[in-house]
Amino acid sequence: MIDRSERIDVPKGTWDRCEGCGHMLFHREFQENLFTCPKCDHHRRIDARTRIEQLCDPDSFEEFLEDLVPTDPLNFKDRVPYPGSASKPSRTKRARPKPSWSVRPMSAADR
């Protein structure tokens, strides 16, 4: 048994556990393998920016329409008003991505 006084603290983010089989991998190795487990071939979900970094050459990616927000051009009618009211926020307002979200629509081009 290991004495706790001899235990070495490993920095957070050094290891990743596969969500498919539970295999432990070094984060850098997991990243180099495009977030795919070498034991069971489970593909971890990744965000759009990470996928773009995997596919495009460095500094060749250009994002546009960053301020794109949902609208209601057909004026749909529903229990919750689309335009909104003083008491309830509109569906379009609630559908806007939060600044802290890492998931949002992206429009881009690779040179």
Side-chain angles (χ1 to χ4, degrees):
M1 191 163 145
I2 298 175
D3 182 17
R4 290 211 181 260
S5 63
E6 295 175 19
R7 189 174 175 179
I8 299 171
D9 288 328
V10 178
K12 195 171 189 145
T14 303
W15 292 93
D16 276 318
R17 182 179 302 277
C18 172
E19 295 153 0
C21 68
H23 181 70
M24 293 296 292
L25 299 147
F26 278 116
H27 178 74
R28 185 173 45 242
E29 177 186 348
F30 200 40
Q31 196 172 13
E32 288 170 359
N33 205 32
L34 304 178
F35 296 96
T36 303
C37 177
K39 298 288 184 194
C40 72
D41 288 333
H42 174 79
H43 291 69
R44 177 178 285 175
R45 291 182 63 123
I46 57 174
D47 62 13
R49 183 143 326 267
T50 302
R51 177 66 70 203
I52 289 165
E53 289 171 1
Q54 292 174 348
L55 297 173
C56 299
D57 292 329
D59 300 324
S60 69
F61 173 75
E62 181 181 348
E63 187 174 355
F64 53 92
L65 299 175
E66 295 176 35
D67 56 347
L68 190 65
V69 293
T71 61
D72 181 24
L74 300 177
N75 298 316
F76 283 102
K77 304 288 182 231
D78 200 351
R79 287 177 286 143
V80 176
Y82 272 75
S85 65
S87 61
K88 289 186 178 179
S90 70
R91 284 189 188 261
T92 53
K93 200 175 262 185
R94 288 189 326 207
R96 290 188 180 131
K98 308 287 186 277
S100 62
W101 286 7
S102 62
V103 178
R104 64 175 182 81
M106 290 183 71
S107 300
D110 185 24
R111 291 180 243 139

